[in-house]
């Protein structure tokens, strides 16, 4: 994959899966811009992107819940890089909590980051997307279509993200903009996985629930994003691409039940 001369923006690209995506585009020679809330994480990532081979690397600090800040930063990216060939929207927040036990504000925080954040990023980037040819990738999650106990907030938010993907693939497809979602399965050595499977037992149950019998890697997800943004996927739009070792086929499995049981035990204690 060669992305030399292409402009790539990865929102939430400063750790975990999204940073893996940003680094993969950098290694493929692209100009890469990243953004998140922490200046330290942005600076560290920009330095790493340069080492990885990016033609240029820049970063901005913002919270995706602040649509004006998002729009201003994307405008600055456009001033530096020109039209965006690739936009990846991946900022998210998660914690396991039963619906009856979490505050309304806790539910809303995840909706605001994952769902509202996605539309803030997509609308903020819209004026600067290359037409025809831009590829938008929203980073979703299995919770979009699998109900997990303790994840009502994330399930609601990510289902919304995928419906935005499907709807805007039609609205923006007319302009030659492709919109897809990538659904990572459970990805090793990431914050999301640490929060959902905090014990070795939970991690092992999770692995057993995956038909391919292993955790995913950040490279697995990054490879799918490179493909979706390449000419090889020029007729692929409106899809929700699971990169999950066939996890979906088995449903939320024993791991989902274990998470519900763990949370109920915490409530009783
Ligand atoms: N269980 C129940 N409620 C929780 C919680 C938990 N583990 N963690 C946070 N909350 C609640 C807070 O109590 C607060 O509700 P309140 O105002 O009624 O007290 C609400 O959620 C917002 O929390 P706050 O810490 O103020 O939000 P924040 O904006 O600083 O952080 C989070 C957002 C909570 C999502 C934080 O975990 C985060 O920044 N996550 C990013 C990293 C991440 O989640 N990575 C994995 C991605 S899959
Ligand atoms: P992560 O390391 O916590 O990455 C989240 C990124 O988003 C960070 O760069 C974080 O940086 C940024 N971010 C968080 N809240 C933000 C906000 N309000 N505004 C701006 N940026 C914000 O998590 P991860 O586990 O790799 O998850 C990455 C993505 O993959 C998420 O969309 C998640 O839902 C999805 N996913 C993960 C898994 C998994 O197994 N880990 C599985 C399925 C789906 P700052 O802290 O600096 O803001």
């Amino acid at each position: 994959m060669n992305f030399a001369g292409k402009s790539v923006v990865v929102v939430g690209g400063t750790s975990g899966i999204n940073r893996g995506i940003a680094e993969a585009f950098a290694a493929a020679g692209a100009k890469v811009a990243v953004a998140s809330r922490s200046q330290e994480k942005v600076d560290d990532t920009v330095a790493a992107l340069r080492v990885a081979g990016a033609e240029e690397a820049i970063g901005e600090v913002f919270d995706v819940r602040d649509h004006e800040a998002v729009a201003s930063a994307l405008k600055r990216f456009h001033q530096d890089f020109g039209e965006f060939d690739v936009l990846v929207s991946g900022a998210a927040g998660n914690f396991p909590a039963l619906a009856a036990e979490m505050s309304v504000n806790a539910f809303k925080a995840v909706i605001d980051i994952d769902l509202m954040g996605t539309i803030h990023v997509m609308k903020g980037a819209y004026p600067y997307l290359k037409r025809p040819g831009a590829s938008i990738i929203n980073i979703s999650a299995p919770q979009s279509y699998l109900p997990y106990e303790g994840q009502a907030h994330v399930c609601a938010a990510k289902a919304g993200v995928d419906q935005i993907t499907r709807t805007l693939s039609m609205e923006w497809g007319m302009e030659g903009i492709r919109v897809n979602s990538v659904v990572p399965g459970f990805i090793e050595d990431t914050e999301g996985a640490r929060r959902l499977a905090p014990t070795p037992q939970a991690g092992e149950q999770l692995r057993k629930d995956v038909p391919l019998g292993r955790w995913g890697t950040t490279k697995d997800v990054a490879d799918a994003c490179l493909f979706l943004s390449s000419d090889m996927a020029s007729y692929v739009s409106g899809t929700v691409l699971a990169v999950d070792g066939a996890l979906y086929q088995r449903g939320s499995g024993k791991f989902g039940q274990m998470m519900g049981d763990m949370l109920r035990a915490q409530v009783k204690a």
Side-chain angles (χ1 to χ4, degrees):
M1 294 283 179
N2 182 357
F3 283 85
K6 305 281 187 190
S7 299
V8 177
V9 176
V10 185
V11 176
T14 63
S15 59
I17 293 172
N18 304 323
R19 178 161 165 166
I21 295 167
E23 287 182 353
F25 277 108
K31 296 183 274 187
V32 185
V34 290
S36 77
R37 295 166 299 176
S38 151
Q39 184 73 58
E40 200 184 336
K41 284 171 75 174
V42 167
D43 291 345
D44 183 66
T45 305
V46 166
L49 293 173
R50 291 188 179 131
V51 172
E55 187 181 326
E56 283 179 58
I58 54 176
E60 289 276 351
V61 174
F62 59 72
D63 190 312
V64 290
R65 288 168 283 194
D66 180 346
H67 69 93
E68 286 172 354
V70 173
S72 308
L74 289 167
K75 187 175 181 184
R76 288 192 289 279
F77 284 156
H78 177 248
Q79 283 160 355
D80 283 359
F81 276 6
E83 288 179 319
F84 306 155
D85 296 282
V86 180
L87 173 71
V88 179
S89 174
N94 191 5
F95 46 83
L98 296 169
E101 303 300 324
M102 76 173 106
S103 69
V104 168
N105 196 46
F107 194 96
K108 184 174 181 299
V110 171
I111 297 291
D112 284 347
I113 299 167
D114 295 25
L115 180 55
M116 294 309 297
T118 298
I119 199 70
H120 293 164
V121 168
M122 292 181 78
K123 279 178 68 66
Y126 179 69
Y128 314 124
L129 295 168
K130 187 171 182 196
R131 308 167 155 75
S135 161
I136 301 179
I137 299 172
N138 291 325
I139 304 300
S140 181
Q143 290 91 326
S144 166
Y145 40 72
L146 292 176
Y148 281 87
E149 293 181 72
Q151 290 283 275
H153 44 338
V154 177
C155 292
K158 293 292 193 180
V161 168
D162 286 343
Q163 285 297 70
I164 291 175
T165 290
R166 295 182 179 103
T167 308
L168 297 202
S169 72
M170 294 191 287
E171 292 187 17
W172 297 1
M174 309 286 285
E175 299 171 58
I177 297 166
R178 295 184 298 109
V179 188
N180 294 290
S181 284
V182 165
V183 173
F186 292 102
I187 306 301
E188 67 187 10
D189 199 21
T190 60
E191 184 59 24
R194 275 187 287 275
R195 288 180 182 216
L196 288 184
T199 64
Q201 294 88 328
E204 180 55 11
Q205 185 58 60
L206 209 156
R207 186 193 64 73
K208 282 189 197 154
D209 276 356
V210 178
L212 280 187
R214 68 166 176 89
W215 286 66
T217 65
T218 56
K219 182 176 184 303
D220 290 326
V221 182
D223 285 347
C225 293
L226 291 180
F227 162 70
L228 281 177
S229 302
S230 74
D231 290 343
M232 292 174 77
S234 62
Y235 204 51
V236 181
S237 192
T239 63
V240 174
L241 176 62
V243 183
D244 69 350
L247 172 81
Y248 171 57
Q249 309 308 326
R250 196 161 276 163
S252 54
K254 285 196 185 137
F255 171 74
Q257 202 177 349
M258 182 187 236
M259 193 157 62
D261 290 344
M262 276 184 335
L263 290 166
R264 276 183 286 275
Q266 282 168 19
V267 173
K268 273 191 193 152

